[in-house]
C-alpha cells in the first residue's frame, strides 16, 4: 500500500481505500475465490492508474496478467477486446482442455464477423473454458480499461464470465466512465455488472484541497504559498488529470508557486488540458459544443436562456445540450450556469 504521507510525484494520493480493495480482491483470487472489481468514476479521476496498480500487484502476487483497452471508435470491431486479451493464448494453445476451448474460442478471432446464433454460445463457452484453463496454471487477472467503449460481443463475454467467477482463480478488473450521458447500452452494461453477486465497486473521488496541495508541492518543489495552492485546487476541482496538466506547464515555466504567481496561474491554459477538453467535446453533438462555448463566453452571466440566444439554439435544444454537459460533469448550476472546472472553461473560451 502507498503510504498516506508519501508525496512523491508518482504516488497514488488519497487512494488508500481503493488500494486496499484491490489488494483484497487479488488475495481472494489467488486463494481461489474469483470476483469482479469495477472501478467507476468521472473522466480524469484516476481510474486507469488504479487499474495499473492492480496489474502491478497481481504480477507481484504471481498472477498471469492479461490486459486490454477499449477505444471509443473501435466498438464496431467485433471481439476486439477479447482479441487483445487472449490472442497470444489462443495462438499458443496446445493439448487437452485448453486446445478444445481454444478451438471454440478461436471463432471470435478467425471469424470476427457476427457468429451465427447457433455458434454464439459456443464462442462464449470456449472463451470461458479458455479462461478457466489459464487460471488452473496460475491465478489470472483480466484487466480492461474503458469498458464502456468495448465492442458488444466482447461485452457479452465479460458479462457471461462475470456470472461464473466464484470458483475460478480469476479477478476481472474493469474501469468504466460514470454512466452519466452514456448510451442506453453503456448504462445497461454497467448496471448488469454492478448487480453481479460479490462485485466490488470502487469510485475514486477528486483530490481534496490537502491532497491537491501535496501534489502541487511534489511537482513544483519548494513551499508554494497558501493562495497559490488554493488557486490550483479551485481551477482544477482536484481532478488529477487536469491538475497534473496544469502543474506540468507550470514546472516547464519554472514557476515556484508564490502569491505573485497567482495572476499568471489564473491566465494559464496548458496545451495538454486544452487538447483533452476539446477532444472530449468534439465527440459530442454540435449543439452541445455550441452551448458549452456560449456558457464559456457568458461567464458569470450564463443562464440557459442567454446561452440559447448566443448559441443560436432553440430553448429545448439548448436545455438538452446543457443536460449533456451536466451529465458529463462539465457544467453545473440551476439558474446560473458555471463550469465545474474553471480550467475547462478557460480552454473552451480560448478556442472560440
Amino acid at each position: 500500500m502507498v503510504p498516506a504521507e508519501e508525496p512523491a510525484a508518482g504516488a497514488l494520493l488519497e487512494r488508500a481505500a481503493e488500494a486496499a480493495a484491490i489488494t483484497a480482491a487479488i488475495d481472494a483470487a489467488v486463494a481461489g475465490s474469483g470476483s469482479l472489481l469495477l472501478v467507476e468514476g468521472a473522466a480524469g479521476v484516476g481510474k486507469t492508474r488504479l487499474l495499473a496498480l492492480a496489474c502491478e500487484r497481481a504480477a507481484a502476487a504471481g498472477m498471469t496478467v492479461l490486459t486490454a483497452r477499449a477505444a471509443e471508435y473501435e466498438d464496431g470491431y467485433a471481439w476486439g477486446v477479447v482479441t487483445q486479451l487472449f490472442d497470444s493464448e489462443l495462438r499458443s494453445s496446445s493439448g487437452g482442455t485448453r486446445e478444445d476451448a481454444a478451438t471454440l474460442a478461436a471463432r471470435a478471432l478467425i471469424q470476427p464477423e457476427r457468429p451465427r446464433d447457433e455458434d454464439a454460445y459456443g464462442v462464449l463457452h470456449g472463451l470461458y473454458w479458455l479462461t478457466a484453463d489459464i487460471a488452473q496454471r496460475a491465478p489470472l487477472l483480466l484487466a480492461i480499461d474503458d469498458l464502456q467503449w468495448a465492442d458488444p460481443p466482447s461485452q457479452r463475454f465479460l458479462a457471461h464470465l462475470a456470472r461464473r467467477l466464484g470458483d475460478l482463480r480469476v479477478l476481472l478488473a474493469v474501469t468504466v466512465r460514470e454512466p452519466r450521458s452514456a448510451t442506453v447500452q453503456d448504462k445497461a452494461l454497467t448496471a448488469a455488472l454492478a448487480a453481479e453477486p460479490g462485485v466490488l465497486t470502487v469510485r475514486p473521488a477528486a483530490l481534496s484541497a490537502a491532497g491537491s496541495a501535496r501534489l502541487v508541492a511534489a511537482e513544483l518543489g519548494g513551499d508554494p504559498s497558501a493562495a497559490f495552492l488554493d488557486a490550483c485546487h479551485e481551477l482544477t476541482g482536484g481532478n488529477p488529470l487536469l491538475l497534473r496538466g496544469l502543474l506540468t506547464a507550470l514546472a516547464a515555466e519554472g514557476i515556484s508557486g508564490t502569491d505573485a504567481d497567482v495572476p499568471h496561474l489564473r491566465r494559464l491554459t496548458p496545451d495538454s488540458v486544452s487538447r483533452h477538453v476539446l477532444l472530449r467535446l468534439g465527440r459530442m453533438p454540435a449543439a452541445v459544443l455550441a452551448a458549452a462555448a456560449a456558457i464559456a463566453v457568458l461567464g458569470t452571466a450564463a443562464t440557459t436562456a442567454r446561452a440559447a440566444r448566443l448559441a443560436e439554439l432553440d430553448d429545448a435544444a439548448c436545455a438538452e445540450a446543457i443536460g449533456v454537459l451536466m451529465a458529463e460533469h462539465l457544467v453545473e448550476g440551476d439558474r446560473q450556469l458555471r463550469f465545474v472546472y474553471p480550467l475547462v472553461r478557460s480552454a473552451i473560451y480560448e478556442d472560440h
Side-chain angles (χ1 to χ4, degrees), residues 120-179:
Y121 185 79
V123 174
L124 296 179
H125 180 70
L127 287 166
Y128 167 79
W129 281 110
L130 179 62
T131 303
D133 185 75
I134 297 169
Q136 282 185 343
R137 292 180 283 124
L140 173 64
L141 170 66
L142 298 178
I144 301 99
D145 201 10
D146 285 329
L147 181 63
Q148 74 279 355
W149 289 329
D151 59 280
S154 292
Q155 289 187 8
R156 285 195 294 272
F157 164 64
L158 294 169
H160 178 86
L161 178 63
R163 294 190 290 270
R164 295 164 173 81
L165 287 171
D167 297 327
L168 299 179
R169 295 192 300 170
V170 176
L171 173 59
L172 175 59
V174 301
T175 69
V176 179
R177 180 81 60 84
E178 278 186 340

Side-chain angles (χ1 to χ4, degrees), residues 75-234:
D75 59 354
Y77 175 43
W79 302 105
V81 167
V82 163
T83 300
Q84 290 184 58
L85 286 173
F86 293 116
D87 186 40
S88 61
E89 293 292 333
L90 288 169
R91 296 182 188 280
S92 64
S93 63
S94 61
T97 303
R98 186 179 179 202
E99 184 175 15
D100 295 338
T103 299
L104 288 170
R107 299 177 190 175
L109 302 181
I110 298 170
Q111 298 175 331
E113 67 275 5
R114 184 184 300 276
R116 299 190 305 273
D117 289 342
E118 61 268 26
D119 291 338
Y121 185 79
V123 174
L124 296 179
H125 180 70
L127 287 166
Y128 167 79
W129 281 110
L130 179 62
T131 303
D133 185 75
I134 297 169
Q136 282 185 343
R137 292 180 283 124
L140 173 64
L141 170 66
L142 298 178
I144 301 99
D145 201 10
D146 285 329
L147 181 63
Q148 74 279 355
W149 289 329
D151 59 280
S154 292
Q155 289 187 8
R156 285 195 294 272
F157 164 64
L158 294 169
H160 178 86
L161 178 63
R163 294 190 290 270
R164 295 164 173 81
L165 287 171
D167 297 327
L168 299 179
R169 295 192 300 170
V170 176
L171 173 59
L172 175 59
V174 301
T175 69
V176 179
R177 180 81 60 84
E178 278 186 340
R180 295 178 177 272
S181 64
T183 65
V184 172
Q185 176 179 296
D186 293 339
K187 291 180 180 179
L189 168 68
T190 305
L193 291 177
E196 289 299 325
V199 65
L200 175 62
T201 302
V202 296
R203 297 184 176 88
L207 296 175
S208 68
S212 174
R214 289 173 54 211
L215 183 57
V216 174
E219 293 284 352
L220 299 185
D223 186 19
S225 71
F228 187 88
L229 294 173
D230 289 345
C232 286
H233 189 259
E234 175 197 338

Side-chain angles (χ1 to χ4, degrees), residues 24 45 58 62 66 75 86 121 140 162 174 194 236 243 262 297 318 335 341:
V45 80
L66 301 179
D75 59 354
F86 293 116
Y121 185 79
L140 173 64
V174 301
T236 64
L243 182 55
V262 172
V297 170
C318 189
R335 294 181 181 277
Y341 310 115

